[in-house]
Amino acid sequence: MKMLKLSNRIDANRKKTSFASILNNPFSLNVSGLIAVILALLMVSATQGLQLSAFTTKTPRVTKFTTKGPSASSMNHEATTSIYRFNATNGITCILMQVDGLIGIKYRNKLGEDVEADLYMPDTPQLSGECVESNMEILTMDFRGFRLSMTFKKSSGGEGWYINLFELTYSSSNSLFEHPDRPGLNVKLTSPVHQPMFFPTPVGKSYVCDKEKTVIMYAPQDSGDQSGHIARLYLRDLHMQSFMFKESGKWGPSFHCSATGSYRDETAPLAVGTALAIAVLLTISGYGGWRYFKIKKVQYGSME
């Protein structure tokens, strides 16, 4: 019985000593646990930046067209895509594009109904453009009375390129449109000004995307009545590059689009995760300091 009481007293003394040591050193509370939390936050942030596209559950949109109609010329190309190559005055390729494209144009007929007409991007349009300036290039396609123009620009730092503007011009009297309400109207449609960066890609690399991309073009606000004309440019199996200036005229390394339709930038998630970890660390340190001085004050009061 005496041995049992002695054992209980020893256990009680150990608990008191352990509790007292914790009070005297509050920073020892869950230090390993706090470090694990900070490391977990960093790993979660990095994982979101690197593997966001792998965990997306977004299903691809089913469009009204599948592939381009077969033709004698398109059968010579890989699958159903068309290749467009524009060379500078020195003969070196500056813009290269491969795509399966369709233009859907909505317009108003004489009955006041909004109807739609479809136009495939051809294999051999008349190509023109500009590759003179170092920070801007233009590719223009003329086919069947339509003109599709794309303006490429470099980013402010010169490290990336993107399409700044899409523009489609035509006449409402084109044979593609049946009974338009305003024949003879010169229509000009452009991509929205609030979305000035399409398909941003590092300079020297080619943009690759097997997902369908859609660009909507409207009439500018100062153009007056355009009789309800709106165009949608559908781009599938897209592969393109600007600012090439390579004598070989071959594609640069591929820069793939993400599954969500936007390009991956891993800098922002990593920066957010680092800032969050620092904030957590500062909060924990502040709490530990506050508790340390509070306990010291309580101990000093107890001694008095």
Side-chain angles (χ1 to χ4, degrees):
M1 181 65 69
K2 291 182 179 180
M3 292 296 293
L4 179 59
K5 291 182 179 180
L6 180 60
S7 176
N8 292 337
R9 288 180 182 179
I10 293 174
D11 292 340
N13 290 333
R14 285 180 179 175
K15 292 181 180 179
K16 290 180 180 179
T17 303
S18 177
F19 182 72
S21 63
I22 291 174
L23 289 177
N24 292 329
N25 187 14
F27 291 101
S28 64
L29 289 171
N30 299 328
V31 173
S32 60
L34 296 178
I35 294 175
V37 170
I38 294 173
L39 293 176
L41 289 173
L42 288 173
M43 291 180 63
V44 169
S45 175
T47 302
Q48 287 178 346
L50 295 173
Q51 298 180 349
L52 178 62
S53 61
F55 290 97
T56 181
T57 57
K58 183 178 180 181
T59 56
R61 184 175 66 86
V62 178
T63 59
K64 63 180 180 180
F65 83 106
T66 53
T67 56
K68 183 183 300 184
S71 63
S73 56
S74 64
M75 294 301 291
N76 296 326
H77 294 158
E78 182 180 357
T80 57
T81 57
S82 302
I83 298 179
Y84 310 108
R85 183 187 299 271
F86 183 69
N87 298 332
T89 54
N90 57 5
I92 299 177
T93 300
C94 58
I95 301 176
L96 185 60
M97 176 182 290
Q98 182 175 354
V99 68
D100 177 15
L102 172 75
I103 304 175
I105 304 175
K106 186 173 71 174
Y107 66 99
R108 191 171 300 119
N109 60 21
K110 292 184 178 296
L111 299 177
E113 300 171 336
D114 289 332
V115 293
E116 190 167 346
D118 297 332
L119 177 68
Y120 284 103
M121 292 178 61
D123 292 330
T124 56
Q126 182 180 350
L127 297 179
S128 59
E130 298 180 13
C131 288
V132 179
E133 297 186 24
S134 59
N135 294 322
M136 184 178 71
E137 296 179 347
I138 300 176
L139 176 63
T140 301
M141 304 180 187
D142 289 284
F143 54 97
R144 295 184 57 183
F146 292 85
R147 169 169 287 189
L148 177 62
S149 179
M150 290 164 276
T151 301
F152 298 81
K153 285 189 176 182
K154 283 186 179 180
S155 58
S156 57
E159 72 282 356
W161 64 266
Y162 58 94
I163 295 183
N164 173 253
L165 179 69
F166 287 87
E167 183 177 291
L168 181 66
T169 57
Y170 55 89
S171 172
S172 62
S173 294
N174 191 287
S175 59
L176 182 68
F177 308 114
E178 298 181 358
H179 311 295
D181 67 338
R182 292 185 61 190
L185 181 67
N186 292 324
V187 181
K188 177 183 177 181
L189 307 177
T190 61
S191 55
V193 294
H194 64 268
Q195 188 178 354
M197 293 183 64
F198 294 90
F199 319 129
T201 307
V203 170
K205 294 187 177 182
S206 59
Y207 181 88
V208 179
C209 194
D210 57 355
K211 307 293 181 181
E212 182 181 288
K213 298 295 181 180
T214 304
V215 179
I216 304 178
M217 290 173 278
Y218 306 90
Q221 294 182 353
D222 58 351
S223 61
D225 182 19
Q226 293 291 296
S227 207
H229 285 254
I230 298 176
R232 285 179 170 80
L233 175 62
Y234 301 96
L235 303 172
R236 304 186 80 184
D237 298 325
L238 180 60
H239 193 182
M240 66 177 175
Q241 185 175 357
S242 62
F243 302 100
M244 296 181 65
F245 296 108
K246 291 183 178 180
E247 294 185 1
S248 62
K250 296 181 179 180
W251 299 108
S254 298
F255 181 80
H256 293 270
C257 66
S258 68
T260 57
S262 59
Y263 74 103
R264 288 182 297 190
D265 186 357
E266 292 146 8
T267 304
L270 185 59
V272 172
T274 304
L276 180 61
I278 293 174
V280 171
L281 183 60
L282 291 176
T283 302
I284 293 172
S285 300
Y287 173 75
W290 171 81
R291 183 168 181 177
Y292 176 80
F293 287 110
K294 182 179 179 181
I295 293 175
K296 284 290 186 182
K297 184 177 180 181
V298 172
Q299 290 178 345
Y300 179 77
S302 300
M303 292 176 64
E304 290 181 349

